[in-house]
């Protein structure tokens, strides 16, 4: 397990985000990451999502066959 870079995190929170110290220390690491734009990424595409995209945007026209 690696340690946190507290000086960098504090700079990002206190200077970059302009948080008050009390508000900074109330945040969880996940909340801080989200505020910094590092969290909240979408989940990978699921099989159902892929099937939906394939149905909406097929590679070939209906009735067309491979040659």
């Amino acid at each position: 397990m690696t340690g946190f870079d507290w000086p960098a995190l504090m700079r990002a929170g206190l200077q970059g985000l302009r948080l008050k110290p009390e508000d900074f220390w109330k945040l969880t690491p996940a909340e801080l990451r989200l505020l910094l734009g590092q969290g909240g990424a979408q989940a990978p595409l699921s099989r159902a999502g892929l099937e939906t995209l394939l149905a909406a945007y097929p590679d070939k026209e209906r009735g067309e066959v491979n040659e």
Side-chain angles (χ1 to χ4, degrees), residues 12-34:
L14 301 175
Q15 292 177 348
L17 298 173
R18 300 187 183 275
L19 296 171
K20 296 177 185 176
E22 63 191 47
D23 294 331
F24 173 82
W25 291 111
K26 288 179 185 177
L27 293 172
T28 66
E31 291 169 331
L32 182 57
R33 286 186 64 206
L34 185 63

Side-chain angles (χ1 to χ4, degrees), residues 4-58:
F4 290 109
D5 183 357
W6 287 110
L9 291 173
M10 291 175 68
R11 253 190 319 279
L14 301 175
Q15 292 177 348
L17 298 173
R18 300 187 183 275
L19 296 171
K20 296 177 185 176
E22 63 191 47
D23 294 331
F24 173 82
W25 291 111
K26 288 179 185 177
L27 293 172
T28 66
E31 291 169 331
L32 182 57
R33 286 186 64 206
L34 185 63
L35 287 172
L36 293 172
Q38 298 174 356
Q42 290 183 347
L45 185 63
S46 67
R47 183 66 185 187
L50 176 61
E51 295 295 337
T52 301
L53 284 174
L54 288 171
Y57 304 100

